[in-house]
Amino acid sequence: MRVSTCIAASPNAPSASASSWPTMFDDVFRGFGSNLPAFSGASAFGDGWPSVEISDGEKEIRITAEVPGLEEKDIEVLLNDGVLTLKGEKRSETEDKDKRFSERVYGRFERRIPLGCEIREEEIDARFKNGVLTVTLPKSGKAQSQVKRIAIKG
């Protein structure tokens, strides 16, 4: 069994402590009705946008984010103090005064992902193609040596 020490646990992951119960209930109902104007939060996109996929390999961390409707110029990728930040803005292409209804979302977004290990910052690679952003973060030698194999006993 491979146990990685790099990617921090999800802030929405359940915890065993009793003090986390209120947070767990909040997490269950987070987003309920968020697509309705009366319930929308500060960000038009919500806390979980863009949707990401995180792979924590032995030598690198790869983060893939779906950002449909955006172009490369609309997105900014930052690394500060061990936290990767994806931020940008989705703008409306046209101003249609006759528009009566729209389910499309526009506005600013920001997603922060704590990495939890040393990264070789000079080798970070970010690529954008067909509405998908892929950021590859090579781990430092020290971070690679922190991976521990744990024997499973039957």
Side-chain angles (χ1 to χ4, degrees):
M1 176 177 192
R2 182 178 168 275
V3 176
S4 174
T5 57
C6 280
I7 296 295
S10 167
N12 297 329
S15 171
S17 73
S19 64
S20 67
W21 280 103
T23 303
M24 287 173 53
F25 284 111
D26 289 344
D27 291 344
V28 168
F29 293 104
R30 180 175 288 124
F32 174 76
S34 62
N35 57 341
L36 302 173
F39 292 98
S40 61
S43 170
F45 294 102
D47 292 338
W49 203 91
S51 297
V52 297
E53 185 173 270
I54 302 173
S55 302
D56 188 357
E58 209 168 297
K59 296 185 179 193
E60 67 186 20
I61 297 171
R62 182 177 310 259
I63 299 173
T64 305
E66 292 182 348
V67 286
L70 272 70
E71 297 178 19
E72 182 180 339
K73 66 179 177 57
D74 300 322
I75 305 168
E76 189 173 7
V77 180
L78 306 167
L79 179 66
N80 184 22
D81 200 23
V83 177
L84 182 74
T85 302
L86 310 176
K87 67 181 191 175
E89 183 174 5
K90 185 175 179 183
R91 297 176 182 89
S92 176
E93 300 91 28
T94 62
E95 186 174 321
D96 185 359
K97 294 181 181 173
D98 296 329
K99 189 184 323 178
R100 292 184 157 255
F101 178 78
S102 175
E103 290 182 340
R104 299 178 73 190
V105 180
Y106 304 101
R108 294 182 186 273
F109 65 89
E110 184 169 311
R111 183 82 188 258
R112 294 172 186 250
I113 303 165
L115 300 175
C117 67
E118 289 183 21
I119 300 295
R120 294 194 312 259
E121 295 180 18
E122 64 283 350
E123 296 178 30
I124 295 173
D125 182 56
R127 300 189 182 264
F128 184 83
K129 184 177 181 182
N130 297 330
V132 177
L133 172 68
T134 303
V135 182
T136 305
L137 304 115
K139 296 179 183 179
S140 70
K142 180 180 176 184
Q144 290 179 39
S145 68
Q146 289 177 344
V147 175
K148 297 176 178 75
R149 294 216 180 266
I150 299 173
I152 302 173
K153 299 173 185 162

